Amino acid sequence: MKSTNTGWVYLAMLIAIAGVIIHIGAVFGGPAWFVFFGAPPNIVASARAGTWLAPVSSLIIAGLMALCVLYAASAVGLLRRVPLLQPGLAGMAIICLVRALLLPFLAIDHPELRNTFEVVSALIWATAGVGFAVGFGITTSGG
C-alpha cells in the first residue's frame, strides 16, 4: 500500500495487539487484572470465584481483537485480502468510534466514568476507530 495514511492503520493494529495481550493476560493475571482494566463487577466476581465467565469472555474479546489485527494487516497489505474486508473494517471503525464518543454522554449520569482511565480508554478507542476507518478508505480507494 502506498498511502501515507497507513500509519493510522498500523496504530489501530498495535492497539488491537495490545488488547489481545491484555485480555489473555487477564486470564492468567487473575482478579486484580480484571479490576485494574475496569471489567464489569460480574466478571470480577467470576474471576474471584474461579468460574468460567471471566476467562471465557476475556478470551472471546481477545479473539475479536485478533480479528481486528488480521483485518488491519490485510488493509495495509501485510496479509492477503481477508473475506469481507471493507464491511469488517467499517464495522470495526463504527464500534470503536461509537465506544469512544459515548463516554461524554454516559459520564453525565454516571460520575464513576469521570476518571483518567476512562478518558484515556476513550481516546485509545477513538484512535483505533480512526485507524480502521482509514483502512476502510484505503481498501475502497485502492491504495
Side-chain angles (χ1 to χ4, degrees):
M1 295 289 147
K2 296 177 182 145
S3 175
T4 58
N5 293 325
T6 57
W8 284 101
V9 186
Y10 281 103
L11 188 53
M13 188 171 29
L14 289 174
I15 290 168
I17 289 169
V20 170
I21 292 167
I22 288 168
H23 284 86
I24 291 173
V27 173
F28 298 101
W33 275 52
F34 286 100
V35 170
F36 178 80
F37 287 108
N42 62 326
I43 301 296
V44 174
S46 168
R48 288 184 175 137
T51 63
W52 287 98
L53 180 62
V56 169
S57 58
S58 192
L59 291 174
I60 288 170
I61 293 169
L64 292 171
M65 293 184 136
L67 280 176
C68 292
V69 173
L70 293 175
Y71 275 71
S74 181
V76 295
L78 295 177
L79 299 174
R80 288 188 312 178
R81 189 175 180 90
V82 296
L84 302 170
L85 179 60
Q86 292 169 333
L89 289 167
M92 291 168 198
I94 290 167
I95 290 168
C96 291
L97 292 170
V98 167
R99 164 63 173 83
L101 295 172
L102 277 177
L103 179 63
F105 300 103
L106 291 174
I108 293 169
D109 291 330
H110 300 280
E112 69 275 10
L113 296 176
R114 298 179 209 153
N115 61 64
T116 303
F117 179 84
E118 293 296 337
V119 172
V120 170
S121 294
L123 292 172
I124 291 169
W125 279 97
T127 302
V130 168
F132 293 126
V134 169
F136 173 79
I138 289 170
T139 61
T140 56
S141 68

